[in-house]
Amino acid sequence: MSIERTLTQLQVNPRTAERAREIGQLGYMQWLGGLPAKACYLTEATCAYMAAAPFRDTDPAVEEFCKLLKASLDAPLTPLDLALPKPRRRGGAKERRLSL
């Protein structure tokens, strides 16, 4: 999974800060899961941060993604606060169309 695809998926218009945080965390987990097995995390995380940084001010989910990358680089042995979103109804296809 490339950083460009992850960033494209993060550039949505979440209705709440909580939803932006959920999307940012999901983006981080997706990006992390898509790294090659022998990739250098420091190099990949730095490149991902540099690619995402220009979008931090306009996209709240990208800002959360950047925070997670920065936290992982600043304190590599500290666990990150990651969680899957709680299952709930979010409006279905109509809401997805409105978020674009």
Side-chain angles (χ1 to χ4, degrees):
M1 179 78 46
S2 70
I3 184 62
E4 291 83 14
R5 183 169 180 190
T6 300
L7 286 176
T8 300
Q9 292 173 339
L10 290 174
Q11 292 174 334
V12 296
N13 188 16
R15 294 195 178 264
T16 64
E18 178 187 351
R19 184 65 182 148
R21 186 166 191 252
E22 289 175 347
I23 294 170
Q25 288 180 359
L26 287 172
Y28 176 79
M29 289 185 268
Q30 173 182 299
W31 168 81
L32 186 62
L35 290 179
K38 295 186 180 195
C40 172
Y41 181 81
L42 283 167
T43 303
E44 295 292 332
T46 302
C47 290
Y49 183 83
M50 290 178 7
F55 305 103
R56 284 176 32 193
D57 295 336
T58 57
D59 298 299
V62 175
E63 181 179 3
E64 180 65 29
F65 177 74
C66 287
K67 286 179 186 177
L68 290 167
L69 287 170
K70 184 102 171 84
S72 72
L73 291 169
D74 290 345
L77 299 179
T78 305
L80 295 174
D81 182 27
L82 295 174
L84 292 173
K86 292 181 176 50
R88 65 178 176 266
R89 294 188 59 90
R90 293 188 179 91
K94 180 180 175 185
E95 284 297 314
R96 281 194 300 279
R97 284 192 295 275
L98 290 174
S99 71
L100 298 175

Coordinates of all heavy atoms in Angstrom, one line a residue:
M1 N 0.9 -1.2 0.0 CA 0.0 0.0 0.0 C 0.9 1.2 0.0 O 1.7 1.4 0.9 CB -0.9 0.0 1.2 CG -1.8 1.1 1.4 SD -3.3 1.1 0.4 CE -3.9 -0.5 0.6
S2 N 0.7 2.1 -1.0 CA 1.6 3.3 -1.1 C 1.0 4.4 -0.2 O -0.1 4.5 0.2 CB 1.7 3.7 -2.5 OG 0.4 4.3 -2.9
I3 N 1.9 5.3 0.2 CA 1.5 6.5 1.0 C 0.6 7.3 0.2 O -0.3 7.9 0.8 CB 2.8 7.3 1.5 CG1 2.4 8.4 2.4 CG2 3.6 7.8 0.3 CD1 1.7 8.0 3.7
E4 N 0.7 7.4 -1.1 CA -0.2 8.3 -1.9 C -1.7 7.8 -1.8 O -2.6 8.6 -1.6 CB 0.2 8.3 -3.4 CG 1.5 9.0 -3.6 CD 2.7 8.2 -3.4 OE1 2.6 6.9 -3.2 OE2 3.8 8.8 -3.3
R5 N -1.9 6.5 -1.8 CA -3.2 5.9 -1.7 C -3.8 6.2 -0.3 O -4.9 6.5 -0.1 CB -3.2 4.4 -2.0 CG -4.6 3.8 -1.9 CD -4.6 2.5 -2.5 NE -6.0 2.0 -2.4 CZ -6.3 0.7 -2.7 NH1 -5.4 -0.1 -3.0 NH2 -7.6 0.3 -2.5
T6 N -2.9 5.9 0.7 CA -3.4 6.2 2.1 C -3.8 7.6 2.3 O -4.8 8.0 2.9 CB -2.3 5.8 3.1 OG1 -2.0 4.4 2.9 CG2 -2.7 6.1 4.5
L7 N -3.0 8.6 1.8 CA -3.3 10.0 1.9 C -4.6 10.3 1.2 O -5.4 11.1 1.7 CB -2.1 10.8 1.4 CG -0.9 10.9 2.3 CD1 0.2 11.7 1.6 CD2 -1.2 11.5 3.6
T8 N -4.8 9.8 0.0 CA -6.0 10.0 -0.7 C -7.2 9.6 0.1 O -8.2 10.3 0.2 CB -6.0 9.3 -2.1 OG1 -4.9 9.8 -2.8 CG2 -7.3 9.5 -2.8
Q9 N -7.1 8.4 0.8 CA -8.2 7.9 1.6 C -8.4 8.7 2.9 O -9.5 8.8 3.4 CB -8.0 6.4 1.9 CG -8.0 5.6 0.7 CD -7.6 4.1 1.0 OE1 -6.9 3.9 1.9 NE2 -8.1 3.2 0.1
L10 N -7.3 9.4 3.3 CA -7.5 10.2 4.5 C -8.1 11.6 4.3 O -8.5 12.2 5.2 CB -6.1 10.4 5.2 CG -5.5 9.2 5.9 CD1 -4.1 9.5 6.3 CD2 -6.3 8.7 7.0
Q11 N -8.0 12.0 3.0 CA -8.5 13.3 2.7 C -10.0 13.3 2.5 O -10.5 13.5 1.4 CB -7.8 13.9 1.5 CG -6.3 14.1 1.8 CD -5.5 14.5 0.5 OE1 -5.9 14.2 -0.6 NE2 -4.5 15.2 0.8
V12 N -10.7 13.2 3.6 CA -12.2 13.2 3.6 C -12.6 14.3 4.5 O -11.8 14.9 5.2 CB -12.8 11.9 4.1 CG1 -12.5 10.8 3.1 CG2 -12.3 11.5 5.5
N13 N -13.9 14.6 4.6 CA -14.4 15.7 5.5 C -15.1 15.1 6.6 O -16.4 15.0 6.6 CB -15.2 16.6 4.6 CG -15.6 17.8 5.4 OD1 -15.0 18.1 6.4 ND2 -16.6 18.5 4.9
P14 N -14.4 14.6 7.7 CA -15.1 14.0 8.8 C -16.0 15.1 9.6 O -15.6 16.2 9.7 CB -14.0 13.5 9.7 CG -12.8 14.3 9.3 CD -13.0 14.7 7.9
R15 N -17.1 14.7 10.1 CA -18.0 15.6 10.7 C -17.6 16.0 12.1 O -17.9 17.1 12.6 CB -19.4 15.0 10.8 CG -20.1 14.8 9.4 CD -21.5 14.6 9.6 NE -22.2 14.4 8.3 CZ -22.8 15.4 7.7 NH1 -22.8 16.6 8.2 NH2 -23.3 15.2 6.5
T16 N -16.8 15.1 12.8 CA -16.4 15.4 14.1 C -14.9 15.1 14.3 O -14.3 14.4 13.5 CB -17.1 14.5 15.2 OG1 -16.8 13.1 14.9 CG2 -18.6 14.7 15.1
A17 N -14.3 15.7 15.3 CA -12.9 15.5 15.6 C -12.7 14.0 16.0 O -11.6 13.5 15.6 CB -12.4 16.4 16.7
E18 N -13.6 13.4 16.6 CA -13.5 12.0 17.0 C -13.4 11.1 15.8 O -12.6 10.2 15.7 CB -14.7 11.5 17.9 CG -14.6 10.1 18.2 CD -15.9 9.6 19.0 OE1 -16.7 10.4 19.3 OE2 -16.0 8.4 19.1
R19 N -14.2 11.4 14.8 CA -14.2 10.7 13.5 C -12.9 10.9 12.8 O -12.4 9.9 12.2 CB -15.4 11.0 12.7 CG -15.5 10.2 11.4 CD -15.8 8.7 11.7 NE -15.8 8.0 10.5 CZ -15.4 6.7 10.4 NH1 -15.0 6.0 11.4 NH2 -15.5 6.1 9.2
A20 N -12.4 12.1 12.8 CA -11.1 12.4 12.1 C -10.0 11.6 12.8 O -9.1 11.0 12.1 CB -10.8 13.9 12.2
R21 N -10.1 11.4 14.1 CA -9.1 10.7 14.9 C -9.2 9.2 14.5 O -8.2 8.5 14.3 CB -9.3 10.8 16.4 CG -8.2 10.2 17.2 CD -8.3 10.7 18.6 NE -7.1 10.2 19.3 CZ -7.1 9.3 20.3 NH1 -8.3 8.7 20.6 NH2 -6.0 8.9 20.8
E22 N -10.4 8.7 14.4 CA -10.6 7.3 14.0 C -10.0 7.0 12.6 O -9.3 6.0 12.3 CB -12.1 6.9 14.0 CG -12.7 6.8 15.3 CD -14.2 6.6 15.3 OE1 -14.8 6.7 14.2 OE2 -14.7 6.2 16.3
I23 N -10.3 7.9 11.7 CA -9.8 7.8 10.3 C -8.3 7.9 10.2 O -7.7 7.1 9.5 CB -10.5 8.8 9.4 CG1 -12.0 8.5 9.3 CG2 -9.9 8.8 8.0 CD1 -12.8 9.6 8.6
G24 N -7.7 8.8 11.0 CA -6.3 8.9 11.0 C -5.6 7.7 11.5 O -4.6 7.2 11.0
Q25 N -6.2 7.1 12.6 CA -5.6 5.9 13.2 C -5.8 4.7 12.2 O -4.8 3.9 12.0 CB -6.3 5.5 14.5 CG -6.0 6.5 15.6 CD -6.7 6.1 16.9 OE1 -7.4 5.2 17.0 NE2 -6.3 6.9 17.9
L26 N -6.9 4.6 11.5 CA -7.1 3.6 10.5 C -6.1 3.7 9.4 O -5.5 2.7 8.9 CB -8.5 3.6 10.0 CG -9.6 3.0 10.9 CD1 -11.0 3.3 10.3 CD2 -9.4 1.6 11.2
G27 N -5.8 5.0 9.0 CA -4.9 5.2 7.9 C -3.5 4.8 8.3 O -2.7 4.2 7.5
Y28 N -3.1 5.1 9.6 CA -1.8 4.7 10.1 C -1.7 3.2 10.1 O -0.6 2.6 9.6 CB -1.6 5.2 11.5 CG -0.2 4.8 12.1 CD1 0.9 5.4 11.7 CD2 -0.2 3.7 13.0 CE1 2.2 5.0 12.3 CE2 1.0 3.3 13.5 CZ 2.2 3.9 13.2 OH 3.4 3.5 13.7
M29 N -2.7 2.5 10.6 CA -2.6 1.0 10.6 C -2.6 0.4 9.2 O -1.8 -0.5 8.9 CB -3.8 0.5 11.4 CG -3.8 0.7 12.9 SD -5.1 -0.1 13.8 CE -6.3 1.3 13.8
Q30 N -3.3 1.0 8.2 CA -3.2 0.6 6.9 C -1.9 0.8 6.3 O -1.3 -0.1 5.6 CB -4.3 1.4 6.0 CG -4.2 1.1 4.5 CD -5.2 1.9 3.8 OE1 -6.4 1.8 4.0 NE2 -4.7 2.8 2.9
W31 N -1.3 2.0 6.5 CA 0.0 2.3 6.0 C 1.0 1.3 6.6 O 1.9 0.8 5.9 CB 0.4 3.8 6.3 CG 1.8 4.1 6.1 CD1 2.4 4.4 4.9 CD2 2.9 4.1 7.0 NE1 3.7 4.6 5.0 CE2 4.0 4.4 6.4 CE3 2.9 3.9 8.4 CZ2 5.3 4.5 7.0 CZ3 4.1 4.0 9.1 CH2 5.3 4.3 8.4
L32 N 1.0 1.1 7.9 CA 1.9 0.2 8.6 C 1.8 -1.2 8.0 O 2.8 -1.9 7.8 CB 1.7 0.3 10.1 CG 2.7 -0.5 11.0 CD1 4.1 0.1 10.8 CD2 2.2 -0.4 12.4
G33 N 0.6 -1.7 7.9 CA 0.4 -3.0 7.3 C 0.8 -3.2 5.9 O 1.1 -4.3 5.5
G34 N 0.9 -2.1 5.2 CA 1.4 -2.2 3.8 C 2.8 -2.1 3.5 O 3.3 -2.2 2.4
L35 N 3.6 -1.9 4.6 CA 5.1 -1.8 4.5 C 5.7 -3.1 4.1 O 5.2 -4.2 4.6 CB 5.7 -1.3 5.8 CG 5.4 0.2 6.2 CD1 6.1 0.5 7.5 CD2 5.9 1.1 5.1
P36 N 6.7 -3.1 3.2 CA 7.3 -4.4 2.9 C 8.0 -5.0 4.2 O 8.4 -4.2 5.1 CB 8.4 -4.0 1.9 CG 8.0 -2.6 1.4 CD 7.2 -2.0 2.5
A37 N 8.2 -6.3 4.2 CA 8.7 -7.0 5.4 C 10.1 -6.5 5.8 O 10.4 -6.4 7.0 CB 8.7 -8.5 5.1
K38 N 10.9 -6.2 4.8 CA 12.3 -5.8 5.2 C 12.5 -4.3 5.1 O 13.6 -3.8 5.1 CB 13.3 -6.5 4.2 CG 13.3 -8.0 4.4 CD 14.3 -8.6 3.6 CE 14.2 -10.1 3.9 NZ 15.4 -10.8 3.4
A39 N 11.4 -3.5 5.1 CA 11.6 -2.0 5.1 C 12.1 -1.5 6.4 O 11.8 -2.0 7.5 CB 10.2 -1.4 4.8
C40 N 12.8 -0.4 6.3 CA 13.4 0.3 7.4 C 12.2 1.3 7.9 O 11.8 2.2 7.2 CB 14.6 1.1 7.1 SG 15.2 2.2 8.4
Y41 N 11.7 1.0 9.1 CA 10.6 1.8 9.6 C 11.0 3.3 9.7 O 10.2 4.2 9.3 CB 10.2 1.3 11.0 CG 9.0 2.2 11.5 CD1 7.7 1.9 11.1 CD2 9.2 3.2 12.4 CE1 6.6 2.6 11.5 CE2 8.1 4.0 12.8 CZ 6.8 3.7 12.3 OH 5.8 4.5 12.7
L42 N 12.2 3.6 10.2 CA 12.6 5.0 10.3 C 12.5 5.8 8.9 O 12.0 6.9 8.8 CB 14.0 5.2 10.9 CG 14.0 5.0 12.4 CD1 15.5 4.8 12.8 CD2 13.4 6.1 13.1
T43 N 13.0 5.1 7.9 CA 13.0 5.7 6.6 C 11.6 5.8 6.1 O 11.2 6.9 5.6 CB 13.9 4.8 5.6 OG1 15.2 4.7 6.2 CG2 13.9 5.4 4.2
E44 N 10.8 4.8 6.2 CA 9.5 4.8 5.7 C 8.6 5.8 6.4 O 7.8 6.5 5.8 CB 8.8 3.4 5.7 CG 9.5 2.4 4.9 CD 9.3 2.6 3.4 OE1 8.3 3.2 3.0 OE2 10.2 2.2 2.6
A45 N 8.7 5.9 7.7 CA 7.9 6.8 8.5 C 8.3 8.2 8.2 O 7.4 9.1 8.1 CB 8.1 6.5 10.0
T46 N 9.6 8.5 8.0 CA 10.0 9.8 7.7 C 9.5 10.3 6.3 O 9.0 11.4 6.1 CB 11.6 9.9 7.7 OG1 12.0 9.5 9.0 CG2 12.1 11.3 7.4
C47 N 9.6 9.4 5.4 CA 9.1 9.7 4.0 C 7.6 9.9 4.0 O 7.1 10.8 3.4 CB 9.4 8.5 3.0 SG 11.2 8.4 2.7
A48 N 6.8 9.1 4.8 CA 5.4 9.2 4.9 C 5.0 10.6 5.6 O 4.1 11.2 5.1 CB 4.8 8.1 5.7
Y49 N 5.8 10.9 6.6 CA 5.5 12.2 7.3 C 5.8 13.4 6.4 O 5.0 14.3 6.3 CB 6.4 12.3 8.5 CG 6.1 13.5 9.3 CD1 5.1 13.6 10.2 CD2 6.9 14.7 9.2 CE1 4.8 14.7 11.0 CE2 6.6 15.9 9.9 CZ 5.6 15.9 10.8 OH 5.3 17.0 11.5
M50 N 6.9 13.3 5.6 CA 7.2 14.4 4.7 C 6.1 14.5 3.6 O 5.8 15.6 3.1 CB 8.6 14.2 4.1 CG 9.6 14.5 5.1 SD 11.4 14.3 4.7 CE 11.4 14.0 3.0
A51 N 5.6 13.4 3.1 CA 4.5 13.4 2.1 C 3.2 13.9 2.7 O 2.4 14.6 1.9 CB 4.3 12.0 1.5
A52 N 2.9 13.6 3.9 CA 1.6 14.0 4.5 C 1.6 15.4 5.1 O 0.6 16.0 5.2 CB 1.3 13.0 5.6
A53 N 2.8 15.9 5.5 CA 2.8 17.2 6.2 C 2.2 18.3 5.5 O 1.5 19.2 6.1 CB 4.3 17.5 6.5
P54 N 2.2 18.5 4.1 CA 1.6 19.6 3.5 C 0.1 19.6 3.6 O -0.6 20.6 3.4 CB 2.0 19.4 2.0 CG 3.2 18.6 2.0 CD 3.1 17.7 3.2
F55 N -0.5 18.5 4.0 CA -2.0 18.4 4.0 C -2.5 18.5 5.5 O -3.7 18.4 5.7 CB -2.5 17.0 3.4 CG -2.0 16.9 2.0 CD1 -0.9 16.0 1.7 CD2 -2.6 17.6 1.0 CE1 -0.5 15.9 0.4 CE2 -2.1 17.4 -0.3 CZ -1.1 16.6 -0.6
R56 N -1.6 18.6 6.4 CA -2.0 18.6 7.9 C -3.0 19.7 8.2 O -3.9 19.5 8.9 CB -0.8 18.8 8.8 CG 0.0 17.5 8.9 CD 1.2 17.7 9.7 NE 1.1 18.7 10.7 CZ 2.1 19.1 11.4 NH1 3.3 18.7 11.1 NH2 1.9 20.0 12.3
D57 N -2.8 20.9 7.6 CA -3.6 22.1 8.0 C -5.0 22.0 7.4 O -5.9 22.6 7.9 CB -2.9 23.4 7.6 CG -1.6 23.6 8.3 OD1 -1.5 23.0 9.4 OD2 -0.7 24.3 7.8
T58 N -5.2 21.3 6.3 CA -6.5 21.3 5.7 C -7.3 20.0 5.9 O -8.5 20.0 5.7 CB -6.3 21.4 4.1 OG1 -5.5 20.4 3.7 CG2 -5.8 22.8 3.8
D59 N -6.7 18.9 6.4 CA -7.3 17.6 6.6 C -7.1 17.1 8.0 O -6.0 16.7 8.3 CB -6.9 16.6 5.5 CG -7.2 17.0 4.1 OD1 -8.4 17.2 3.8 OD2 -6.2 17.2 3.3
P60 N -8.1 17.1 8.8 CA -7.9 16.6 10.2 C -7.4 15.2 10.4 O -6.7 14.9 11.2 CB -9.3 16.8 10.9 CG -10.1 17.6 9.9 CD -9.5 17.6 8.6
A61 N -7.9 14.3 9.5 CA -7.5 12.9 9.5 C -6.0 12.8 9.2 O -5.3 12.0 9.8 CB -8.3 12.0 8.6
V62 N -5.5 13.6 8.3 CA -4.1 13.6 7.9 C -3.3 14.1 9.1 O -2.2 13.6 9.4 CB -3.8 14.4 6.6 CG1 -2.3 14.5 6.3 CG2 -4.5 13.8 5.4
E63 N -3.8 15.1 9.8 CA -3.1 15.7 10.9 C -3.0 14.6 12.0 O -1.9 14.4 12.6 CB -3.9 16.8 11.5 CG -3.2 17.5 12.7 CD -4.0 18.7 13.3 OE1 -5.1 19.0 12.8 OE2 -3.5 19.2 14.2
E64 N -4.0 13.8 12.2 CA -3.9 12.7 13.2 C -2.9 11.6 12.7 O -2.1 11.1 13.5 CB -5.3 12.0 13.4 CG -5.3 10.9 14.3 CD -4.9 11.3 15.8 OE1 -5.2 12.4 16.2 OE2 -4.4 10.4 16.5
F65 N -2.9 11.3 11.4 CA -1.9 10.4 10.9 C -0.5 10.9 11.1 O 0.4 10.2 11.6 CB -2.2 10.3 9.4 CG -1.2 9.4 8.6 CD1 -1.2 8.0 8.8 CD2 -0.3 10.0 7.7 CE1 -0.3 7.2 8.0 CE2 0.6 9.2 7.0 CZ 0.6 7.8 7.2
C66 N -0.2 12.2 10.9 CA 1.1 12.8 11.1 C 1.5 12.8 12.6 O 2.6 12.5 13.0 CB 1.1 14.3 10.7 SG 1.1 14.4 8.9
K67 N 0.5 13.0 13.5 CA 0.8 12.9 14.9 C 1.3 11.5 15.3 O 2.2 11.4 16.1 CB -0.5 13.3 15.8 CG -0.8 14.7 15.8 CD -2.1 14.9 16.6 CE -2.6 16.4 16.6 NZ -3.8 16.5 17.3
L68 N 0.6 10.5 14.8 CA 1.0 9.1 15.1 C 2.4 8.8 14.5 O 3.2 8.2 15.2 CB 0.0 8.2 14.5 CG -1.3 8.1 15.2 CD1 -2.4 7.4 14.4 CD2 -1.2 7.6 16.6
L69 N 2.7 9.3 13.3 CA 4.0 9.1 12.8 C 5.1 9.8 13.6 O 6.1 9.2 13.9 CB 4.1 9.6 11.3 CG 3.4 8.8 10.3 CD1 3.4 9.6 9.0 CD2 4.1 7.5 10.1
K70 N 4.8 11.0 14.0 CA 5.8 11.8 14.8 C 6.0 11.1 16.1 O 7.1 11.0 16.6 CB 5.2 13.2 15.0 CG 6.2 14.2 15.7 CD 6.9 15.1 14.8 CE 7.6 16.1 15.5 NZ 8.9 15.7 15.9
A71 N 4.9 10.7 16.8 CA 5.0 10.0 18.1 C 5.9 8.8 18.0 O 6.7 8.5 18.9 CB 3.7 9.7 18.7
S72 N 5.7 8.0 16.9 CA 6.4 6.8 16.7 C 7.9 7.0 16.4 O 8.7 6.2 16.8 CB 5.8 5.9 15.6 OG 6.1 6.5 14.3
L73 N 8.2 8.2 15.8 CA 9.6 8.5 15.5 C 10.3 9.1 16.8 O 11.4 8.8 17.0 CB 9.7 9.5 14.4 CG 9.3 8.9 13.0 CD1 9.2 10.0 12.0 CD2 10.3 7.9 12.6
D74 N 9.5 9.9 17.5 CA 10.1 10.5 18.7 C 10.4 9.5 19.9 O 11.4 9.7 20.6 CB 9.2 11.7 19.2 CG 9.2 12.8 18.3 OD1 10.0 12.9 17.4 OD2 8.2 13.7 18.4
A75 N 9.5 8.6 20.1 CA 9.6 7.6 21.1 C 9.3 6.2 20.6 O 8.2 5.7 20.8 CB 8.7 8.0 22.3
P76 N 10.3 5.6 19.9 CA 10.0 4.4 19.2 C 9.5 3.2 20.0 O 8.9 2.3 19.6 CB 11.3 4.0 18.4 CG 12.3 5.0 18.9 CD 11.6 6.0 19.7
L77 N 9.9 3.2 21.3 CA 9.5 2.0 22.2 C 8.3 2.3 23.0 O 7.9 1.4 23.8 CB 10.7 1.7 23.1 CG 12.0 1.3 22.3 CD1 13.1 0.9 23.3 CD2 11.7 0.1 21.4
T78 N 7.6 3.4 22.8 CA 6.4 3.7 23.5 C 5.2 3.3 22.7 O 5.1 3.6 21.5 CB 6.3 5.2 23.8 OG1 7.5 5.7 24.5 CG2 5.1 5.6 24.6
P79 N 4.3 2.5 23.3 CA 3.1 2.1 22.6 C 2.2 3.3 22.1 O 2.1 4.3 22.9 CB 2.3 1.2 23.5 CG 3.2 1.1 24.7 CD 4.3 2.1 24.7
L80 N 1.7 3.2 20.9 CA 0.8 4.3 20.4 C -0.6 4.0 20.9 O -1.0 2.8 21.0 CB 0.8 4.3 18.9 CG 2.2 4.7 18.3 CD1 2.1 4.6 16.8 CD2 2.5 6.1 18.7
D81 N -1.4 5.0 21.0 CA -2.8 4.9 21.4 C -3.6 4.6 20.1 O -4.1 5.6 19.5 CB -3.3 6.1 22.1 CG -4.7 6.0 22.6 OD1 -5.2 4.9 22.8 OD2 -5.4 7.1 22.7
L82 N -3.8 3.4 19.8 CA -4.5 3.0 18.6 C -5.7 2.1 18.9 O -5.6 1.3 19.8 CB -3.6 2.2 17.6 CG -2.4 2.9 17.0 CD1 -1.6 1.9 16.2 CD2 -2.9 4.0 16.1
A83 N -6.8 2.3 18.2 CA -8.0 1.5 18.5 C -8.8 1.5 17.2 O -8.8 2.4 16.4 CB -8.8 2.1 19.6
L84 N -9.5 0.4 17.0 CA -10.4 0.3 15.9 C -11.7 1.1 16.3 O -12.0 1.2 17.5 CB -10.8 -1.2 15.6 CG -9.7 -2.0 15.1 CD1 -10.1 -3.5 15.0 CD2 -9.3 -1.5 13.7
P85 N -12.4 1.7 15.3 CA -13.6 2.4 15.6 C -14.7 1.5 16.2 O -14.8 0.3 15.8 CB -14.0 3.0 14.3 CG -12.9 2.8 13.4 CD -12.0 1.7 13.9
K86 N -15.4 2.1 17.1 CA -16.5 1.3 17.7 C -17.6 1.1 16.6 O -17.9 2.1 15.9 CB -17.1 2.0 18.9 CG -16.1 2.1 20.1 CD -16.8 2.8 21.2 CE -15.9 2.8 22.5 NZ -14.5 3.1 22.3
P87 N -18.2 -0.1 16.5 CA -19.2 -0.3 15.5 C -20.4 0.6 15.8 O -20.9 0.6 16.9 CB -19.6 -1.7 15.6 CG -18.5 -2.4 16.4 CD -17.9 -1.3 17.2
R88 N -20.9 1.3 14.8 CA -22.1 2.1 14.9 C -22.6 2.6 13.5 O -21.8 2.6 12.6 CB -21.9 3.3 15.8 CG -21.0 4.4 15.3 CD -20.9 5.6 16.2 NE -19.9 6.5 15.8 CZ -18.6 6.5 16.2 NH1 -18.2 5.7 17.0 NH2 -17.8 7.4 15.7
R89 N -23.8 2.9 13.4 CA -24.3 3.4 12.1 C -23.8 4.8 11.9 O -23.8 5.7 12.7 CB -25.9 3.4 12.2 CG -26.4 2.0 12.3 CD -27.9 2.0 12.1 NE -28.4 2.6 10.9 CZ -28.6 1.9 9.8 NH1 -28.3 0.6 9.8 NH2 -29.0 2.5 8.7
R90 N -23.4 5.0 10.6 CA -22.8 6.3 10.3 C -23.5 7.0 9.1 O -23.0 7.9 8.6 CB -21.3 6.1 10.0 CG -20.5 5.8 11.2 CD -19.0 5.8 10.9 NE -18.3 5.5 12.0 CZ -17.9 4.2 12.4 NH1 -18.2 3.2 11.6 NH2 -17.2 4.0 13.5
G91 N -24.6 6.4 8.6 CA -25.3 7.0 7.6 C -25.2 6.3 6.2 O -25.9 6.7 5.3
G92 N -24.4 5.4 6.1 CA -24.3 4.6 4.9 C -23.8 5.3 3.7 O -23.0 6.3 3.7
A93 N -24.3 4.9 2.5 CA -23.8 5.5 1.2 C -24.1 7.0 1.1 O -23.3 7.7 0.6 CB -24.5 4.7 0.1
K94 N -25.2 7.4 1.6 CA -25.5 8.9 1.5 C -24.5 9.7 2.2 O -24.0 10.7 1.7 CB -26.9 9.1 2.2 CG -27.3 10.6 2.1 CD -28.7 10.8 2.7 CE -29.0 12.2 2.8 NZ -30.3 12.5 3.5
E95 N -24.1 9.3 3.4 CA -23.0 10.0 4.2 C -21.7 10.0 3.5 O -20.9 10.9 3.5 CB -22.9 9.5 5.6 CG -24.0 10.0 6.5 CD -24.0 11.5 6.7 OE1 -23.0 12.1 6.9 OE2 -25.1 12.1 6.6
R96 N -21.4 8.8 2.9 CA -20.1 8.7 2.2 C -20.1 9.6 1.0 O -19.1 10.3 0.7 CB -19.9 7.2 1.7 CG -19.4 6.3 2.8 CD -18.8 5.0 2.2 NE -19.8 4.3 1.5 CZ -20.8 3.5 2.1 NH1 -20.8 3.4 3.4 NH2 -21.6 2.8 1.3
R97 N -21.2 9.7 0.3 CA -21.2 10.7 -0.9 C -21.1 12.1 -0.4 O -20.5 12.9 -1.1 CB -22.5 10.4 -1.7 CG -22.5 9.2 -2.5 CD -23.7 9.2 -3.5 NE -25.0 9.1 -2.8 CZ -25.6 8.0 -2.4 NH1 -25.0 6.8 -2.7 NH2 -26.7 8.0 -1.8
L98 N -21.7 12.4 0.7 CA -21.7 13.8 1.2 C -20.2 14.2 1.7 O -19.9 15.3 1.7 CB -22.7 14.0 2.3 CG -24.1 14.0 1.9 CD1 -25.0 14.1 3.1 CD2 -24.4 15.2 1.0
S99 N -19.5 13.2 2.1 CA -18.1 13.4 2.7 C -17.1 13.7 1.6 O -16.0 14.2 1.9 CB -17.7 12.3 3.5 OG -17.3 11.2 2.7
L100 N -17.4 13.4 0.3 CA -16.5 13.6 -0.8 C -16.4 15.0 -1.2 O -17.1 15.9 -1.3 CB -16.7 12.7 -1.9 CG -16.6 11.2 -1.6 CD1 -17.0 10.4 -2.8 CD2 -15.2 10.9 -1.2

